Amino acid sequence: MAFDRNVGGTDRIVRAVLAVALTAVALLAFRAGRRSVATLATVGAVALGFNSITCFCGLNKALGIDTTENA
């Protein structure tokens, strides 16, 4: 499955950092017994991690946003 790249540069780095932060939130929430918060944080972390790894965001595509550097 191939995606057109529409995430790049600083946007990609920010998404990766947020994915790591949401993973930490998910782990802490799970340990505290707050499963709904842990689930939401996990979903967000997976989505942002997918965006940063594949350089593709479906919402960006739907809105016509492209943050890749076109040289």
Side-chain angles (χ1 to χ4, degrees):
M1 179 184 302
F3 299 106
D4 294 327
R5 293 181 61 154
N6 64 6
V7 176
T10 305
D11 187 20
R12 183 176 182 199
I13 293 168
V14 169
R15 289 172 194 252
V17 169
L18 288 174
V20 171
L22 282 174
T23 300
V25 169
L27 291 172
L28 292 172
F30 185 74
R31 287 190 64 196
R34 302 189 63 187
R35 292 180 187 237
S36 60
V37 172
T39 301
L40 290 173
T42 300
V43 169
V46 168
L48 290 171
F50 175 82
N51 292 163
S52 64
I53 290 170
T54 63
C55 298
F56 174 79
C57 176
L59 184 60
N60 277 11
K61 183 174 183 174
L63 295 174
I65 299 170
D66 186 354
T67 61
T68 58
E69 292 85 27
N70 296 323

